[in-house]
Amino acid sequence: MKRILAYRFSAFGDVAMIVPVLKEFLAQNPDTEIVFVSRKNFADLFDGVERLTFRGVNLDDYKGFFGLRKLAVELKKEFQPDFVADLHNVLRTKILSFFSVVRGYNIFVIA
């Protein structure tokens, strides 16, 4: 099974709009699972979505360049994804993507 690590850290409405897209993607790709990383208070949006694991983070715990490096290392170690998807394309996610590229991952950006 392929594992995609996807992240978006924007406002509630922006993250909520991603849910039906991820559900449809998973329905069309039964050999894929998604790990979605966002603010931890958005976890309820993803309850009950099959083959989707939500990883909530408190962004205050990962401030700055080195904080994002720490998050990237934790995510790689915990989930070992096959692919990485940046669903926001802002400075924070670009830095996370940079650390993924350094580790040899292909990054797909959807903004």
Side-chain angles (χ1 to χ4, degrees):
M1 181 158 305
K2 298 174 196 163
R3 181 176 292 157
I4 299 172
L5 176 70
Y7 39 76
R8 184 169 182 124
F9 300 105
S10 55
F12 181 83
D14 295 334
V15 174
M17 289 189 307
I18 296 292
V19 177
V21 174
L22 296 178
K23 284 181 180 179
E24 186 61 29
F25 178 85
L26 289 168
Q28 293 179 21
N29 297 278
D31 64 334
T32 303
E33 64 180 311
I34 295 176
V35 175
F36 191 80
V37 183
S38 191
R39 299 172 192 269
K40 68 170 135 181
N41 56 323
F42 299 158
D44 292 342
L45 292 171
F46 300 91
D47 280 349
V49 179
E50 289 186 38
R51 297 187 331 275
L52 188 142
T53 302
F54 181 81
R55 168 66 149 71
V57 297
N58 180 354
L59 293 175
D60 289 337
D61 296 339
Y62 302 101
K63 287 186 176 180
F65 185 82
F66 293 106
L68 292 172
R69 180 181 176 276
K70 176 183 170 187
L71 177 59
V73 168
E74 288 176 10
L75 293 172
K76 180 188 180 286
K77 181 185 266 187
E78 184 175 350
F79 298 109
Q80 300 173 345
D82 298 304
F83 305 99
V84 178
D86 177 354
L87 303 180
H88 202 187
N89 199 29
V90 295
L91 184 60
R92 178 179 287 127
T93 60
K94 287 179 183 185
I95 292 170
L96 272 177
S97 295
F98 167 77
F99 290 123
S100 296
V101 167
V102 168
R103 288 175 174 71
Y105 289 104
N106 292 323
I107 306 297
F108 300 91
V109 179
I110 301 171

